[in-house]
Amino acid sequence: MSDDATPRPYRSYVYAYPHKTAYRRLPERPELAALWRDEPKDALSLYAHIPFCEVRCGFCNLFTRIGAPDELTARYLDALDRQAAAVREALGESDPVRFATAAFGGGTPTFLTAAELERLCDIAERRTGVDLRAVPLSVETSPATATADRLAVLAGRGATRLSIGVQSFVEAEARAAVRPQRRADVESALGRIRDTGVPVLNIDLIYGIDGQTEETWRSSLDAALAWRPEELYLYPLYVRPLTGLGRISPGADRAWDERRLRLYRYGRDHLLSHGYEQVSMRMFRRADAAPLGPDDHACQTDGMIGLGCGARSYTSALHYSFDYAVDMREIRSIIDAYTETADFSRAEVGRWVDAGEARRRHLLQSLLQAGGMPLAEYEERFGSSPFADFAEELDRFEALGWLDGEAPGGLLRLSPEGLAHSDGVGPELFSPSVRAAMAAYEPK
């Protein structure tokens, strides 16, 4: 638990648990075939990671590098092909293998050329067996790389969602976030995305940028709303070690926390008043948007296949990936090592997940959604109550006003203020061993 009376609202963006900084080298290097042998494989998620960008934003701590000299993208796709073949072999033939959802992220997948994107789709389909036209397929892009030829490939191969990182429509704010871009170029890219007919457009925006006010924040929100995106993600700005901003900006303080909370509440209320529904602290979806399509993958219980050197894979017992870094030199070294790998049949870096961690992960990933967690779902899976398993944490959340006392019976749900503090709620649920591993991690 935090020693503060109230945990700080922006401690960590929890998009997966355990966090990757808790992963370590696996001395036993377990075989993938053994890891997946007894796993359910009828509703898998596929994620392909493309670790290249045309520019690195000042706030970015993602596993990505700028540019790709000496045909690096071709060599990377060669390695991705080898990895995909090894993974499919490890999944075996004794049980049905079906993918329920797919995504290409990064980095910026559309850093690849149109021909390379075709090859990426071929690898996903021919090697793993996913039918990209039959499942929800989400792809990330950027204003500079959302070209007509690339977008046409993605639309033709079945993309159902295109997500573009705009961050701010105010050019001065984009420069302050070390993301130089012209608004005219952003608007042109949005127009090209809409021209594809892909059913879901998502726009990412960031609040908390130096110099940002409620007025400029509203101007970005309204500029995004003019495109009537089916989804909007509102991200708080973080200043992290080894990033561009991390080298020139001071760390977070309470005043910045309060400013980000104020801008978050303003953005949330503005979107709710314009016909959007809140899905999580970050995600808002237009109430009249068409469904994404069939998707029976549940992140709490179903497995994930990650392809690429920055992707994670999840079984019930082990979360695994490759080495992780933020510093550009370290990232280049890891990517180079990945492209030279011939044998992808074993897990190299990861963290074992026992029954206690599985409980934490289920609670955390459910509670951070606006819809909350059905108690019966938890009790059926674990044979216990979250109020018994996490009495101290839930009592504290209740005392802070973070639990919704008006939630329907049988539903554990955050209050609006609890949802606002999601980045404080999540870390409070980390286990002592995960906290210790994260604290011992040396950023590189």
Side-chain angles (χ1 to χ4, degrees):
M1 284 293 170
S2 168
D3 293 332
D4 297 337
T6 302
R8 298 187 71 165
Y10 299 107
R11 293 175 61 192
S12 176
Y13 171 23
V14 183
Y15 55 90
Y17 179 80
H19 192 274
K20 209 171 182 181
T21 54
Y23 290 14
R24 294 294 185 269
R25 286 280 172 190
L26 299 166
E28 66 272 46
R29 298 181 65 238
E31 291 186 347
L32 300 189
L35 291 173
W36 285 99
R37 182 173 297 125
D38 298 323
E39 293 289 309
K41 296 182 277 285
D42 59 343
L44 297 173
S45 175
L46 177 69
Y47 177 76
H49 177 249
I50 306 300
F52 305 107
C53 288
E54 76 280 4
V55 65
R56 189 162 201 192
C57 305
F59 51 83
C60 178
N61 75 333
L62 297 178
F63 189 94
T64 187
R65 64 161 291 166
I66 300 170
D70 303 322
E71 299 184 339
L72 180 57
T73 53
R75 288 186 283 116
Y76 186 84
L77 289 173
D78 288 343
L80 197 79
D81 195 0
R82 294 193 299 273
Q83 185 190 5
V87 168
R88 183 61 188 85
E89 182 178 356
L91 292 177
E93 303 293 343
S94 59
D95 299 310
V97 175
R98 185 181 71 88
F99 288 89
T101 181
F104 302 155
T108 309
T110 49
F111 180 90
L112 300 178
T113 66
E116 289 172 331
L117 286 170
E118 289 276 16
R119 187 180 178 202
L120 175 63
C121 293
D122 286 344
I123 291 170
E125 292 196 328
R126 296 173 185 173
R127 293 300 193 189
T128 70
V130 62
D131 184 350
L132 295 178
R133 293 177 178 83
V135 302
L137 170 61
S138 177
V139 185
E140 297 172 11
T141 189
S142 69
T145 62
T147 59
D149 59 338
R150 293 175 169 107
L151 297 175
V153 168
L154 296 173
R157 298 302 293 259
T160 55
R161 178 180 182 269
L162 293 173
S163 177
I164 184 169
V166 172
Q167 319 316 349
S168 178
F169 284 85
V170 179
E171 292 184 11
E173 290 179 3
R175 288 194 299 272
V178 195
R179 185 192 174 89
Q181 63 188 17
R182 296 173 59 246
R183 177 166 175 175
D185 295 335
V186 172
E187 300 281 358
S188 295
L190 287 165
R192 290 191 294 273
I193 291 173
R194 277 306 194 200
D195 288 344
T196 66
V198 169
V200 175
L201 163 65
N202 173 70
I203 298 176
D204 290 344
L205 297 176
I206 285 181
Y207 56 91
I209 299 171
D210 188 34
Q212 190 177 51
T213 65
E214 289 185 359
E215 290 73 25
T216 62
W217 179 223
R218 176 169 181 158
S219 71
S220 275
L221 292 165
D222 286 342
L225 288 171
W227 290 96
R228 299 197 75 240
E230 285 71 25
E231 294 177 5
L232 274 159
Y233 270 71
L234 307 185
Y235 287 95
L237 178 66
Y238 276 91
V239 175
R240 299 179 174 98
L242 302 183
T243 63
L245 287 179
R247 295 184 176 95
I248 62 176
S249 300
D253 57 25
R254 289 287 184 180
W256 191 33
D257 285 348
E258 287 303 318
R259 184 161 67 91
R260 284 181 287 178
L261 273 175
R262 184 173 66 252
L263 291 169
Y264 159 78
R265 294 180 182 120
Y266 185 93
R268 173 197 63 193
D269 294 346
H270 195 62
L271 295 187
L272 294 178
S273 71
H274 281 74
Y276 284 75
E277 298 174 341
Q278 188 165 18
V279 179
S280 68
M281 171 187 164
R282 289 165 169 74
M283 181 182 176
F284 296 80
R285 184 168 173 80
R286 213 178 71 214
D288 63 347
L292 282 172
D295 177 3
D296 55 355
H297 172 82
C299 64
Q300 298 93 335
T301 55
D302 292 322
M304 171 177 279
I305 296 296
L307 302 178
C309 58
R312 311 161 191 252
S313 295
Y314 304 145
T315 70
S316 59
L318 180 70
H319 292 189
Y320 62 94
S321 183
F322 297 91
D323 203 3
Y324 172 72
V326 175
D327 180 78
M328 189 60 68
R329 289 171 297 180
E330 295 285 349
I331 289 174
R332 286 197 291 263
S333 175
I334 294 170
I335 293 173
D336 287 343
Y338 175 83
T339 64
E340 295 166 3
T341 299
D343 181 4
F344 287 101
S345 66
R346 294 177 178 271
E348 303 288 344
V349 177
R351 187 170 184 87
W352 295 99
V353 178
D354 61 18
E357 296 290 20
R359 284 174 164 82
R360 288 183 181 276
R361 182 171 182 261
H362 189 109
L363 175 62
L364 190 155
Q365 292 193 304
S366 302
L367 198 58
L368 295 187
Q369 300 297 308
M373 183 184 76
L375 295 174
E377 180 183 278
Y378 182 97
E379 292 163 358
E380 179 180 357
R381 181 179 179 193
F382 299 111
S384 60
S385 164
F387 294 103
D389 294 342
F390 301 98
E392 181 182 354
E393 292 91 337
L394 294 177
D395 284 348
R396 189 168 192 221
F397 296 164
E398 184 174 24
L400 289 166
W402 290 356
L403 297 184
D404 185 357
E406 299 181 0
L411 185 68
L412 179 61
R413 185 170 68 189
L414 293 178
S415 65
E417 196 58 20
L419 208 59
H421 285 77
S422 290
D423 286 5
V425 170
E428 289 293 306
L429 291 171
F430 291 2
S431 71
S433 62
V434 165
R435 291 170 191 260
M438 292 175 66
Y441 175 78
E442 296 184 7
K444 61 181 181 178

